[in-house]
Amino acid sequence: MTGMSAYLRTFHSFDPPGIWRAVLLNFAAAFAEGAGLLMLLPILSLAGVLGQDSGQKSWLPMLDRLFVSLGISWSIEFALLVFVVLIYIQSQLTLHRDRVSQSLQLRFGDHLRKTLYAAIVRANWSFLTGKYSAELLNTLTTEVQRITTGTYFLLRFFTISILSIAYFSVALWLSTWLTLLALAIGLVLWMLLRGADDAAKQGGMMLSQANRKMFAQIQEFLSAMKLVKIHGEELSSLYRFNREVDQVSNHSMEFQWIRTRVQAVYRVGGAIALAVVSYIALVWFKLPATHFLLLVAIFARMLPQLAEFQSGRQQLLHMLPAFSSWRRLMEACEANQNPEGAACGNVKLMQGITFERLGFSYPESHHRIIIRNLAIPARKTTAIIGVSGSGKTTLLDLLSGLLTPDTGTILIDGAPLHLLPGWQKSIAYIPQETQIQNGTIRDNLNWKNLEPTDAEIKQAILQSALTEFVQGLPKGLETEVGERGVKLSGGEKQRLALARALLRKPQLLILDEATNALDPENHRLVIDSIRALHGNLTVLIVTHKTDELSGLIDGMVQVEQGAVGKWIPFAHKKSTTADKKNWSPLALKCF
């Protein structure tokens, strides 16, 4: 399927009734405009401006007989009244047509954006980690906006086509051969300017690439903003951003130059065509004056519309690369969707989590993880120990359902994890880099929660050691925290994240090195908060060291070079050689 046909099919499938309504309104408005043009003939004749060569007896005999049968005779007053009524009808139809077209255009853009966003949200984690966020943002914003703009020109393209048919119909009735001659000249102009179509499409592709690079530069700066400031690299970042913006501007200007050049050629060519047709009409065909003036008026109105017709066609070709980007990303997301499961509530974790002969490796990577047999008891606090890059995060991603194992099974209270679609609703996850959204403390506590009660919020704040902090704020829960929580300290962010996690009422709480970057006092507050939860829910704490967790954890799991050992009670931290084989690299040979 070509890009244009795919775009048209997508647009048509979006709202067929609305599109057909726009089609009918276009035909009705064009018919009314054509009838209004024809009414100029009897008006001019009845006014005696140009004689009676197109008077009422020779103009539309059937309509003339109809009015006579109704007892109505042609007069200048009646003809003007009919003309005004036709123009009023045409203006109302045009107004309604434009509103329907604008609604179609905007709703189609919203539809593309919402559909793509839904596909991205439902895509699996492995796929999303392989995509650049700048590409996703660019497609959702700039590319969809370009498609929306292109859709406007598609609707204008159709409107102009219908109007042109109406004009040509009237012109053919006035003089068939002159109209065909004008049409032939127009086709010659179109053939001569077809080369600009390829340039428009190529320009659209270059603009899409430039937009992606610009978004990538923005994303790079925002993610490393603090580092840029510390190293004093503002000018370097500004230079790279300005370079990408200039590329976007240059590609946009190149297309505008192509489009305006084509319009200029159409205007000049149209003027020449009008002069040729006028000469032939007067000298060779001896066309009646009223017919000639009306024919000139029709062609004069058609010339700018034909130029707009060609301009709209180029806008569509220029837009197609943006639609192709949307379509490719949409198809990729749909091909990597998470499996749909039956809706259900939170999954209870009463017995424990079991990994049975599990293996996983990343595509095109040497990193892999092996778990021979691991059982994590419920309602216990477990430390996941290992150096950076050993596989701790991969273990958590497998447990949370973000990744699917290549072999083996994960069981939750004996039930396979992939058969528990509500499992992720039962998890609360706190990373080292806490995600705090712009807004108030209450907004952050309400994030993805079903409107917790004041009592639940108060309890979560108490459990996360935030009570004194919140009470000391002038606005309490309504205090603004700033973008990414810039008005909060690291410890305050982590405790706010813990309170937010507890409001989910999880069965499993995961802290992925959530306390590593905290100062001793904030570290103590967070650890004390977690200690207060001991025995009430299953807690996994990912850390490099266990000495500071004494009295908090019940057991530990060692991860080394992708090999995951058994759950060992913390009291038996100094394991035997046999225990160490459960997690050493030698275990890979036993899998």
Side-chain angles (χ1 to χ4, degrees), residues 215-341:
F215 268 85
Q217 181 58 40
I218 295 172
Q219 186 73 15
E220 178 183 331
F221 171 73
L222 293 177
S223 61
M225 185 163 45
K226 186 174 182 179
L227 195 61
V228 170
K229 289 290 185 181
I230 290 175
H231 291 169
E233 294 293 337
E234 293 93 341
L235 291 179
S236 175
S237 179
L238 183 61
Y239 167 76
R240 290 194 296 271
F241 176 73
N242 288 344
R243 181 185 60 193
E244 301 304 338
V245 170
D246 289 342
Q247 286 295 316
V248 172
S249 179
N250 289 339
H251 290 305
S252 298
M253 288 300 299
E254 286 173 4
F255 171 69
Q256 294 303 322
W257 290 338
I258 293 172
R259 189 173 66 87
T260 53
R261 184 169 62 246
V262 169
Q263 286 182 324
V265 172
Y266 257 94
R267 291 191 186 97
V268 174
I272 294 173
L274 182 59
V276 171
V277 169
S278 298
Y279 178 81
I280 294 175
L282 292 173
V283 177
W284 292 3
F285 284 81
K286 307 295 183 182
L287 200 67
T290 50
H291 286 201
F292 170 72
L293 286 178
L294 186 56
L295 199 63
V296 169
I298 291 172
F299 287 156
R301 295 184 71 170
M302 286 181 62
L303 285 178
Q305 296 208 358
L306 288 176
E308 186 180 353
F309 181 91
Q310 178 63 15
S311 175
R313 186 170 178 275
Q314 289 182 329
Q315 287 280 3
L316 281 174
L317 294 173
H318 190 255
M319 171 275 296
L320 282 182
F323 176 77
S324 297
S325 297
W326 177 89
R327 183 183 169 204
R328 283 194 302 269
L329 182 55
M330 186 72 189
E331 290 175 346
C333 290
E334 289 178 338
N336 292 275
Q337 295 284 289
N338 281 321
E340 293 288 343

Side-chain angles (χ1 to χ4, degrees), residues 36 38-49 54 76 79-80 83:
L38 283 175
M39 279 302 301
L40 292 175
L41 284 175
I43 290 174
L44 292 173
S45 297
L46 289 169
V49 175
S54 294
I76 186 65
L80 288 172
F83 177 75

Side-chain angles (χ1 to χ4, degrees), residues 7 68-69 89 91 200 239 244 265 286 360 378 494 536 556:
Y7 165 70
V68 170
S69 66
I89 293 173
S91 66
Y239 167 76
E244 301 304 338
V265 172
K286 307 295 183 182
F360 174 82
Q494 290 293 5
N536 295 321
M556 56 179 283

Side-chain angles (χ1 to χ4, degrees), residues 104-312:
L104 271 175
Q105 170 201 351
L106 296 175
R107 288 189 296 109
F108 181 58
D110 291 342
H111 166 73
L112 294 181
R113 189 173 282 113
K114 290 177 181 178
T115 304
L116 178 58
Y117 188 82
I120 293 172
V121 168
R122 296 190 181 101
N124 61 55
W125 179 246
S126 298
F127 168 77
L128 292 176
T129 54
K131 304 298 292 185
Y132 291 105
S133 57
E135 178 186 356
L136 304 181
L137 287 171
N138 176 52
T139 306
L140 281 168
T141 54
T142 304
E143 300 295 68
V144 170
Q145 185 57 46
R146 286 178 60 197
I147 299 171
T148 304
T149 302
T151 302
Y152 164 79
F153 285 101
L154 171 69
L155 296 170
R156 283 294 301 159
F157 187 88
F158 181 74
T159 298
I160 293 171
S161 299
I162 299 300
L163 284 174
S164 298
I165 292 173
Y167 290 149
F168 269 112
S169 299
V170 176
L172 283 170
W173 182 79
L174 293 172
S175 177
T176 302
W177 289 108
L178 285 175
T179 303
L180 292 177
L181 175 62
L183 179 61
I185 295 174
L187 288 174
V188 170
L189 276 175
W190 178 72
M191 292 295 293
L192 291 175
L193 295 172
R194 282 192 64 187
D197 293 348
D198 293 334
K201 193 170 183 179
Q202 183 66 25
M205 294 174 61
M206 298 299 293
L207 181 59
S208 291
Q209 294 176 8
N211 278 323
R212 282 195 292 270
K213 291 181 179 179
M214 183 182 69
F215 268 85
Q217 181 58 40
I218 295 172
Q219 186 73 15
E220 178 183 331
F221 171 73
L222 293 177
S223 61
M225 185 163 45
K226 186 174 182 179
L227 195 61
V228 170
K229 289 290 185 181
I230 290 175
H231 291 169
E233 294 293 337
E234 293 93 341
L235 291 179
S236 175
S237 179
L238 183 61
Y239 167 76
R240 290 194 296 271
F241 176 73
N242 288 344
R243 181 185 60 193
E244 301 304 338
V245 170
D246 289 342
Q247 286 295 316
V248 172
S249 179
N250 289 339
H251 290 305
S252 298
M253 288 300 299
E254 286 173 4
F255 171 69
Q256 294 303 322
W257 290 338
I258 293 172
R259 189 173 66 87
T260 53
R261 184 169 62 246
V262 169
Q263 286 182 324
V265 172
Y266 257 94
R267 291 191 186 97
V268 174
I272 294 173
L274 182 59
V276 171
V277 169
S278 298
Y279 178 81
I280 294 175
L282 292 173
V283 177
W284 292 3
F285 284 81
K286 307 295 183 182
L287 200 67
T290 50
H291 286 201
F292 170 72
L293 286 178
L294 186 56
L295 199 63
V296 169
I298 291 172
F299 287 156
R301 295 184 71 170
M302 286 181 62
L303 285 178
Q305 296 208 358
L306 288 176
E308 186 180 353
F309 181 91
Q310 178 63 15
S311 175

